[in-house]
Amino acid sequence: SAVSYLNMLCVINGYEDNTIRPRALCTRAEAAKIIGDILSILLDHVLDDKNLNNKEILLDIAKKLIKDQ
């Protein structure tokens, strides 16, 4: 799932009890951190033409996240 993939990328680290709550509401600060981390990944890896596969994966994740809202 998108949440698992973002966890693998260390964008979403979960809570202190080692859980991830994909249906829980997040704070403005948590959302800002997630968005910032994703933008950082995009700038570091995805915009490189050699990483088109990663670009497609992240675009799919973004679509899934938007669809879940």
Side-chain angles (χ1 to χ4, degrees):
S1 74
V3 172
S4 297
Y5 188 72
L6 291 174
N7 179 253
M8 183 184 74
L9 293 174
C10 296
V11 171
I12 297 173
N13 298 316
Y15 293 91
E16 291 177 3
D17 63 356
N18 294 322
T19 61
I20 295 175
R21 302 172 192 151
R23 301 264 184 236
L25 297 176
C26 67
T27 66
R28 200 176 311 178
E30 290 169 332
K33 182 208 176 286
I34 292 168
I35 293 167
D37 288 350
I38 291 172
L39 289 174
S40 178
I41 290 169
L42 289 170
L43 290 173
D44 289 344
H45 300 287
V46 177
L47 296 179
D48 181 2
D49 289 338
K50 296 175 186 173
N51 290 315
L52 292 177
N53 188 41
N54 290 341
K55 182 179 182 179
E56 294 303 318
I57 290 169
L58 287 175
L59 287 173
D60 286 344
I61 289 170
K63 288 176 187 175
K64 288 177 186 176
L65 290 172
I66 291 168
K67 181 181 172 186
D68 288 345
Q69 296 305 315

